[in-house]
Amino acid sequence: MKYAEIKELTVEEIKARIAEEEANLTKAKFGHAVSALENPLKIKALRKDIARLNTELTQRNKAAANQQ
């Protein structure tokens, strides 16, 4: 997921997407532990997507706090 796509999401959509991506990451980790994944770099990509989403959420929360 590109950062430009994340900026277009609302806060609720970001939170939902974080939960969805964390579930996907958990499934990928368990799948990799049981048998090798076709693309083990998928785990790395999922972690980075979650980090991008969390970064945007934090920035929005700080911006909202500064406005109040």
Side-chain angles (χ1 to χ4, degrees):
M1 172 172 262
K2 303 245 181 201
Y3 193 70
E5 295 172 4
I6 295 172
K7 286 192 128 194
E8 295 175 1
L9 299 175
T10 65
V11 174
E12 274 58 5
E13 290 173 338
I14 291 174
K15 288 179 182 179
R17 192 66 189 253
I18 289 171
E20 178 184 327
E21 293 296 328
E22 286 177 344
N24 289 339
L25 178 61
T26 303
K27 286 180 187 177
K29 283 183 178 180
F30 281 126
H32 188 62
V34 173
S35 64
L37 293 176
E38 279 186 34
N39 186 4
L41 295 177
K42 183 178 179 184
I43 293 172
K44 182 178 178 181
L46 287 170
R47 282 197 331 254
K48 285 188 174 191
D49 284 343
I50 292 169
R52 284 186 194 107
L53 290 164
N54 280 324
T55 300
E56 180 63 23
L57 186 61
T58 301
Q59 287 178 350
R60 289 186 188 192
N61 287 338
K62 284 183 180 180
N66 286 339
Q67 288 179 354
Q68 292 177 359

